[in-house]
Amino acid sequence: MSRAAVLCGLGGSLPERIVSNEELAEQLDTSDRWIRTRTGIGQRHVVAPGQSTSDLAVAAGAQALASARATAGQADDGVDLVDPVDLVVLATSTPDRPCPATAPDVAHRLGLGPVPSFDVSAVCTGFVYALATAASMITAGIAGRALVIGADTFSTILDPADRTTRAIFGDGAGAVVLRAGDSGEPGALLGFDLGSDGSGADLITVRAGGSRQRSVPGPAAEGEEFFTMDGRPVFTRAVLDMSRSSQSLLERVGWSAAEVDKVVAHQANIRILNAVGEQLGLEEKQIVANLDRVGNTVAASIPLALRDAVAGGELQPGHRVLLTGFGGGLTWGSAALVWPELETGRPHR
Ligand code: ACO
């Protein structure tokens, strides 16, 4: 038994407004049929004007903190006997502003005091990277209790005329609380596999707004402020890298694919999830999917899928869970844990 980070709270938040496939088809040359058959997505949530990533992150973070308190046996408004959070890590690639990071504002608005807080930028793999970062700080003794949030509002960076990206992406935030515990406990993070390949940096990108574009005199070329993705090669790499990463972590943890109860993969496309399942030799019942209701919520994708799987009774205490993600960078990462007993409260939408 050794010191480990243990998952002890879970929350999520989606903006109120739902955009159906039919609504998109009224604005763009697409159809409910194309989007459903090519991606598995039926609808997505999008932020209202003026609403930002931090707003969703605060709501998800508050819910995860309430879940951690309830799991520890305390009422939401009861005397807080659990240790306070002493670290906030926010995974996002749509921060409220390019500078400073969004995490300190989120920590402040959650009333967490002067805790260390920072953003992690790994696009759709952001949550797994943030989880690994926070877990490592806990096992190293730098932190005792961490709030880890994945939040993104991709609707704010999409080209309104791009039928492909608008069909896929949705806004949202998901969060977990980690505490110091030991590796034998349910909820202990048992291992990680992380990787990147910058040769694919142009496949998923926002070209303008960074130092390279700004170091050139004159404004950005038209449209360069929008998110772009080269779907086909990204599809292939997503399947390959999530499968490879999952396999290498399973070997390290000592689980066979058949022994995994639930694989919670980044919710990019149902065809990607099925292809990863095929590569790993998984049955359909092992794969968690909520993308029909929320689309690809980027860094929020994995924690929102966890939240929905718990709320729907699909994910149960004692289940062996494999998390795996892939995203811009290119980046990928996987994590393994045995699902703990959790009080989650009512889902926030
Ligand atoms: N409605 C109708 N037609 C469309 C739409 C749409 N919404 N979007 C694209 N098409 C068209 C294309 O224009 C193309 O038409 P053409 O043949 O006349 O040129 C045709 O459909 C096929 O296009 P493809 O891009 O080849 O379609 P594909 O089946 O590959 O699906 C998709 C596209 C959904 C983007 C897919 O490639 C995909 O899921 N890629 C991976 C996305 C992913 O994994 N992202 C994760 C990381 S993202 C991140 O990190 C932020």
Side-chain angles (χ1 to χ4, degrees), residues 24 28-31 34-35 38-39 41 93 122-125 154 162-169 204-205 227-239 242 266-272 296 298-299 326-331:
L24 277 186
L28 299 162
D29 182 15
T30 188
S31 64
W34 192 96
I35 299 171
R38 303 306 294 165
T39 72
I41 296 165
S93 33
V123 202
C124 296
T125 320
F154 260 48
D162 183 352
R163 63 181 176 173
T164 306
T165 52
R166 284 201 56 208
I168 297 172
F169 291 98
I204 297 169
T205 187
F227 172 86
T228 61
M229 181 176 71
D230 193 350
R232 282 262 173 105
V234 168
F235 191 108
T236 310
R237 286 298 300 264
V239 174
M242 282 197 280
H266 170 51
Q267 306 282 304
N269 184 323
I270 193 69
R271 293 185 295 132
I272 293 177
N296 176 349
V298 192
F326 171 85
L330 301 171
T331 52

Side-chain angles (χ1 to χ4, degrees), residues 85-251:
V85 162
D86 56 7
L87 172 67
V88 175
V89 185
L90 171 65
T92 187
S93 33
T94 46
D96 282 13
R97 301 176 271 188
C99 170
T102 302
D105 182 37
V106 171
H108 169 70
R109 285 161 62 191
L110 285 168
L112 298 178
V115 298
S117 54
F118 55 91
D119 292 359
V120 164
S121 174
V123 202
C124 296
T125 320
F127 181 75
V128 179
Y129 268 65
L131 205 59
T133 305
S136 311
M137 289 177 72
I138 286 175
T139 50
I142 298 168
R145 199 174 184 86
L147 176 61
V148 182
I149 309 173
D152 270 301
T153 52
F154 260 48
S155 69
T156 62
I157 58 168
L158 298 182
D159 178 351
D162 183 352
R163 63 181 176 173
T164 306
T165 52
R166 284 201 56 208
I168 297 172
F169 291 98
D171 302 334
V176 299
V177 178
L178 302 180
R179 64 169 170 81
D182 69 63
S183 55
E185 290 184 66
L189 288 159
L190 301 174
F192 290 93
D193 177 82
L194 303 173
S196 77
D197 174 10
S199 73
D202 288 339
L203 295 176
I204 297 169
T205 187
V206 178
R207 288 180 208 287
S211 59
R212 189 181 297 283
Q213 175 255 318
R214 286 178 178 184
S215 68
V216 178
E222 201 182 326
E224 289 210 329
E225 73 276 27
F226 293 130
F227 172 86
T228 61
M229 181 176 71
D230 193 350
R232 282 262 173 105
V234 168
F235 191 108
T236 310
R237 286 298 300 264
V239 174
L240 188 73
D241 291 323
M242 282 197 280
S243 304
R244 276 203 298 226
S245 176
S246 297
Q247 252 147 4
S248 102
L249 181 60
L250 288 179
E251 272 164 37

